[in-house]
């Protein structure tokens, strides 16, 4: 009974994670600006990957697999925001970011 419930939850997490990752991919292709694409490449994609990892953890349930999935999740959370920061900064310096869309321009003084 408990295994069946975990399998259903795992299936739901896998489908939700796949849909969020698909939405991130579509956003990267369709959004017009660099900052919009950067947002689409990081926020829904990271949540999608974490949901996929949760679904796999609920389905596999072995200690070795859980440890590996935890490491993948930690590295995903550690690298995606840093990559988005670097992409945004490079786009700003290259003049690809529209200054009119920025609420606060903290790099203008430099």
């Amino acid at each position: 009974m408990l295994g069946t419930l975990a399998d259903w939850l795992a299936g739901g997490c896998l489908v939700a994670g796949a849909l969020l990752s698909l939405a991130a991919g579509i956003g990267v292709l369709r959004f017009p600006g660099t900052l919009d694409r950067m947002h689409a490449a990081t926020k829904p994609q990271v949540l999608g990957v974490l949901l996929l990892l949760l679904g796999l953890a609920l389905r596999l349930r072995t200690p070795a697999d859980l440890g590996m999935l935890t490491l993948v999740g930690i590295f995903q959370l550690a690298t995606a925001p840093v990559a988005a920061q670097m992409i945004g900064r490079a786009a700003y310096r290259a003049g690809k970011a529209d200054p009119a869309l920025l609420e606060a321009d903290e790099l203008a003084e430099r």
Side-chain angles (χ1 to χ4, degrees):
M1 175 71 183
L2 190 60
T4 305
L5 179 62
D7 288 340
W8 278 100
L9 285 173
C13 287
L14 290 172
V15 169
L19 289 175
L20 276 170
S21 296
L22 176 67
I26 292 171
V28 167
L29 292 175
R30 301 287 305 221
F31 283 162
T34 304
L35 299 178
D36 299 326
R37 289 180 180 163
M38 179 188 67
H39 176 78
T42 54
K43 297 211 180 198
Q45 185 267 338
V46 169
L47 182 59
V49 167
L50 291 178
L51 281 172
L52 286 170
L53 292 174
L54 177 63
L56 285 171
L58 287 171
R59 181 68 182 107
L60 297 175
R61 295 184 282 248
T62 62
D65 293 331
L66 293 177
M68 185 62 65
L69 293 173
T70 302
L71 284 175
V72 170
I74 289 170
F75 287 134
Q76 182 69 30
L77 286 172
T79 58
V82 173
Q85 168 71 20
M86 292 296 109
I87 291 170
R89 187 173 285 239
Y92 181 84
R93 286 184 178 165
K96 301 291 184 184
D98 185 11
L101 297 176
L102 301 175
E103 290 183 23
D105 192 359
E106 297 168 352
L107 296 175
E109 297 98 27
R110 296 182 183 186

